[in-house]
Amino acid sequence: MATAQIYPSMLAADFGRIADAARAVAGHADWLHVDVMDYHFVPNLAFSPDTVDALRRVTDTPLDCHLMIENPDRWAPGFAERGAANVTIHAEAVGDIARTTDAIRAAGARTGLAVKPATPVEHYLDDLHRFDLLLLMTIEPGFGGQKFMDEVLPKIAAARRLIDERGLDLWLQIDGGVNRETIERSAEAGVDVFVAGTAVFGLDDPAAAVESLRALALAAAPRLTAPAAAFVSPPAPAQAPVADREAGGGAAAVGGVPA
């Protein structure tokens, strides 16, 4: 059975207290999702390999880097070398899937394939075996805080059937608009990895938000199970609530993380 995994998106964290945000969900988040944008593939700019270095210094929670950039063939292995545990590349941007996934694995990371809402997964059937994760965008990539696109639900269900019928060892992830209102129907459609931004960091208690989202996914999809154990990161110290914000709106690239 698949595990219901919650990945808080650092794009929705307070960039001035991003280390505190990482600590706030330690022991509750399965991974941390790091959206990397170059202002070319998407009209926004956020995060860099230096961000991976900085986060690795303040948390043991694995980092899931989602590269919304041009030429991931060149840049993706570097994120793995800096300590990302998974590096996801966009189907619409990658030039040589085999070479790039091999380079990511050689650098020590898992690898994922992301597709925009309008991109058919069927175009990449022959390459899915190269990946550990399939990310279906449920918003147009580039900015957080967007409304969940319900029209992607049939695509999610079709991807789940494809994964199961082919016996692929592939996590099915969504990113965009995941919250208490959308996670149940996403889980029912077949998702097992949920990226959540403002639904976690926009609340006073991000750790409790993670567990609440997981509970909703588990209740909606009996095929999902709870994680066997929490990660070893220490619990977060007491902190003031993180203000709700439109994740990523006008964000500048963040090269380091203040401890």
Side-chain angles (χ1 to χ4, degrees):
M1 297 179 73
T3 301
Q5 301 183 65
I6 308 297
Y7 291 19
S9 174
M10 303 310 295
L11 194 64
D14 181 343
F15 284 2
R17 303 184 62 191
I18 202 166
D20 289 341
R23 295 185 185 110
V25 294
H28 297 272
D30 298 279
W31 297 52
L32 296 177
H33 187 78
V34 180
D35 285 312
V36 180
M37 308 183 196
D38 64 357
Y39 213 76
H40 295 284
F41 182 71
V42 293
N44 200 357
L45 187 66
F47 298 139
S48 73
D50 288 343
T51 311
V52 176
D53 280 340
L55 283 169
R56 286 268 51 88
R57 292 196 295 271
V58 299
T59 183
D60 293 324
T61 308
L63 303 181
D64 171 39
C65 287
H66 173 198
L67 306 189
M68 289 176 273
I69 63 174
E70 291 184 349
N71 198 11
D73 308 68
R74 176 181 179 184
W75 301 110
F79 285 86
E81 291 165 0
R82 295 291 191 98
N86 181 82
V87 180
T88 292
I89 55 178
H90 261 270
E92 303 86 358
V94 65
D96 188 325
I97 286 178
R99 183 182 66 188
T100 302
T101 54
D102 286 349
I104 293 170
R105 291 189 189 282
R110 294 165 56 91
T111 184
L113 179 70
V115 295
K116 294 180 180 180
T119 300
V121 173
E122 290 76 12
H123 289 180
Y124 302 94
L125 292 182
D126 292 339
D127 290 304
L128 289 181
H129 69 280
R130 301 182 185 278
F131 295 94
D132 302 289
L133 177 150
L134 174 62
L135 167 55
L136 303 183
M137 295 298 298
T138 43
I139 58 171
E140 290 297 335
F143 292 91
Q146 298 181 58
K147 183 180 178 181
F148 182 89
M149 297 174 65
D150 278 293
E151 56 267 36
V152 181
L153 287 171
K155 182 179 181 179
I156 294 170
R160 169 51 58 199
R161 288 193 299 270
L162 186 154
I163 291 168
D164 293 345
E165 289 170 0
R166 293 192 170 213
L168 297 172
D169 185 11
L170 193 65
W171 293 348
L172 184 55
Q173 181 185 69
I174 59 168
D175 181 6
V178 175
N179 55 41
R180 291 181 58 84
E181 287 69 47
T182 60
I183 194 168
E184 292 177 304
R185 55 185 182 267
S186 302
E188 290 171 351
V191 177
D192 42 46
V193 180
F194 307 85
V195 176
T198 53
V200 172
F201 290 120
L203 301 185
D204 291 352
D205 188 341
V210 167
E211 297 304 339
S212 177
L213 289 170
R214 193 194 317 279
L216 289 169
L218 290 169
R223 63 181 182 81
L224 295 176
T225 63
F231 289 104
V232 297
S233 303
Q239 60 172 329
V242 176
D244 194 1
R245 61 190 293 267
E246 287 295 320
V254 179
V257 176

